[in-house]
Amino acid sequence: MSNESPCLTCGACCAAFRVSFYWGECQSAGGTVPDELTLQVTLHHACMKGTEKNPVHCTALVGTPGERVSCNIYENRSSTCREFDIFNEDGSVNEACVRARAFYGLAPVSR
Ligand code: SF4
Ligand code: SF4
């Protein structure tokens, strides 16, 4: 059985929601996220380019959602991206993951 993460054949959350975070996470403010891949959305928040409009598709997402994907800035991605997962910290299902997958015709990830 493969131990590969289901996220590698999904990527739906990177192409379904606005991905915003505190602007201090941008490189110019001492963070990790490359500024040129972001847009300012409020006084204190930036978002990943491509997630501010429909159809949503983060500019750092490589590949096709539901097939094979990767993140171009994986090591430098924001806390929003790092904290979004299939399951919540308490082990419950992340309903936003379920919704994003459903948008691309994918069933929820089973344990
Ligand atoms: S929607 Fe869920 S399964 Fe798909 S990439 Fe995001 S966290 Fe992973
Ligand atoms: S930065 Fe990477 S992990 Fe975050 S939304 Fe974009 S592609 Fe997904």
Side-chain angles (χ1 to χ4, degrees), residues 13-63:
C13 54
C14 310
F17 308 120
R18 188 169 81 176
V19 179
S20 59
F21 44 88
Y22 177 56
W23 70 272
E25 294 193 40
C26 290
Q27 283 179 347
S28 60
T32 59
V33 184
D35 290 63
E36 64 273 19
L37 302 185
T38 71
L39 290 173
Q40 186 172 355
V41 286
T42 70
L43 191 58
H44 298 297
H45 288 86
C47 79
M48 291 305 297
K49 273 186 187 169
T51 69
E52 81 288 4
K53 61 183 180 188
N54 282 313
V56 176
H57 190 110
C58 176
T59 191
L61 182 66
V62 179

Side-chain angles (χ1 to χ4, degrees), residues 5-14 17 69 84-87 94 96-101 106 109:
S5 167
C7 296
L8 294 175
T9 51
C10 178
C13 54
C14 310
F17 308 120
V69 293
F84 194 99
D85 210 339
I86 300 166
F87 300 106
N94 177 0
C97 167
V98 173
R99 283 200 308 279
R101 286 180 63 88
L106 301 170
V109 175

